[in-house]
Amino acid sequence: MTGGGRPRTEILPASPAGTARAAALLRAGDIVAFPTETVYGLGADARNGQAVARVFEAKGRPAFNPLIVHVADTGAARRHVVWSDLADRLAAAFWPGPLTLVLPLRENHGISPLVTAGLDTLAVRVPAHPAARALLAGFDGPVAAPSANPSGRISPTDAGHVLAGLDGRVAAVLDDGPCPVGLESTIVGLADTPALLRPGGLPAEAVEQALHQALARPATDDTISAPGQLSSHYAPGASVRLNARTARPGEVLLGFGATDCDLNLSPSGDLHEAAANLFGHLHRLDAMNKPIAVTPIPDHGLGRAINDRLRRAAAPRED
Ligand code: TXA
Ligand code: MG
């Protein structure tokens, strides 16, 4: 957002012209929201400290919470991190896709220290969404991008969600409709013992199968080494009550499977469908300004990440 005043956010179609405009804005040091298969990201040139600072400012994000860097392919990732056999196995199996790897930064990595919040590791991922891939190809560099929501709020799974939270605070949003996965990427730490740092759009079971080993899982939220993982994330404005069988008076009920409720994540009990609907449904329920009750969700596969996000939505607020 160069120039004075408070310019409006440009809404760009995911056409060649729209994508070229988004890449040009990134090159100029502006910040641009764009779709990925998981959620919309708020992108900046990861080598440009001023651009990255705009991301923190627009989101109101604490500067100690590092960002994920998005790159076009494994070769590009290897320019910034110390690669390993395990990284190779996971990249071969799941990139492009909803998996983020945390690896040691390599020498001359070129990434702004604001991106990593001073850590000596970097979170990298190769997104699968065609619009994200076209943007990365056009920009031809590493793009730091957290989810495109005000810090601590529900992640955006369509361009309308982005504008609801950040209109006027970002230069543009590249609009390509709803995100197919709907949950943020699974984060796996490979800088030490392989560890699940955040459950997400790729089931942890699949990662363990590809690694032929179990992932270390932090015992409690307090020890999770993804700094953004502490309570009160993804929080809607209204309160959230989990494992509800029925709604109490005044509550709206978010359901899963065959159940009588106000909004259903997946009437047929499909966890993929539920993941894709989760944040959109929370945005809609949030707009009703009533306390939200949620029926139980199975705790396996994508259900683990869905329950993780719901627990955070239900956590006591810090502000
Ligand atoms: O699907 C996604 O991952 C989306 C899309 C836009 O790619 N991005 C996303 O970013 O969810 P964000 O900023 O909302 O979450 C990034 C998480 C935070 O919890 C952050 O603390 C963690 O990644 N993280 C980033 N760098 C890290 C590092 N070096 N070590 C450990 N955790 C890191
Ligand atoms: Mg986020």
Side-chain angles (χ1 to χ4, degrees):
M1 296 204 290
T2 45
R6 195 182 142 106
R8 289 202 68 80
T9 296
E10 290 177 42
I11 302 171
L12 302 170
S15 60
T19 305
R21 170 76 183 146
L25 287 167
L26 288 177
R27 236 173 268 124
D30 276 320
I31 58 176
V32 175
F34 64 97
T36 81
E37 69 277 24
T38 60
V39 300
Y40 274 69
L42 179 53
D45 181 344
R47 303 158 297 194
N48 178 340
Q50 283 192 32
V52 175
R54 289 199 176 98
V55 169
F56 282 95
E57 184 186 34
K59 281 183 62 93
R61 180 174 175 114
F64 53 79
N65 192 358
L67 309 180
I68 295 173
V69 167
H70 299 66
V71 291
D73 52 35
T74 300
R78 294 180 68 156
R79 272 179 226 139
H80 307 295
V81 292
V82 180
W83 203 242
S84 67
D85 288 348
L86 292 183
D88 221 35
R89 222 180 280 171
L90 294 185
F94 302 117
W95 279 356
L99 172 69
T100 294
L101 299 179
V102 174
L103 291 158
L105 272 169
R106 59 176 272 188
E107 259 177 67
N108 301 319
H109 51 76
I111 301 294
S112 160
L114 261 185
V115 170
T116 57
L119 297 175
D120 55 8
T121 55
L122 183 70
V124 277
R125 100 173 179 93
V126 177
H129 195 292
R133 297 183 65 70
L135 178 63
L136 288 168
F139 175 63
D140 196 23
V143 173
S147 50
N149 51 281
S151 187
R153 309 298 299 198
I154 303 165
S155 291
T157 52
D158 67 31
H161 299 156
V162 175
L163 291 171
L166 296 173
D167 193 11
R169 303 179 70 85
V170 306
V173 54
L174 190 59
D175 182 356
D176 201 19
C179 302
V181 175
L183 288 173
E184 298 90 342
S185 61
T186 298
I187 305 182
V188 172
L190 292 178
D192 298 302
T193 310
L196 180 66
L197 302 182
R198 177 177 74 182
L202 177 69
E205 295 92 326
V207 176
E208 292 178 323
Q209 224 165 41
L211 284 177
H212 307 297
Q213 71 179 94
L215 291 168
R217 286 154 207 266
T220 69
D221 281 357
D222 291 349
T223 61
I224 286 182
S225 53
Q229 288 297 290
L230 294 179
S231 62
S232 191
H233 246 66
Y234 314 100
S239 70
V240 178
R241 185 169 68 86
L242 302 182
N243 291 315
R245 292 284 163 194
T246 54
R248 292 175 184 155
E251 282 181 341
V252 284
L253 187 64
L254 177 62
F256 175 83
T259 176
D260 191 12
C261 56
D262 297 281
L263 264 186
N264 201 318
L265 289 168
S266 170
S268 66
D270 176 346
L271 286 168
H272 288 91
E273 184 186 21
N277 283 331
L278 178 67
F279 290 137
H281 281 15
L282 284 177
H283 277 283
R284 283 169 66 186
L285 291 171
D286 196 23
M288 295 179 192
N289 254 318
K290 290 181 181 169
I292 301 165
V294 191
T295 67
I297 317 278
D299 204 38
H300 57 78
L302 286 180
R304 298 231 303 251
I306 295 172
N307 282 319
D308 170 81
R309 303 305 187 272
L310 286 170
R311 274 194 298 276
R312 286 173 211 295
R317 304 296 137 74
E318 281 155 3
D319 53 347

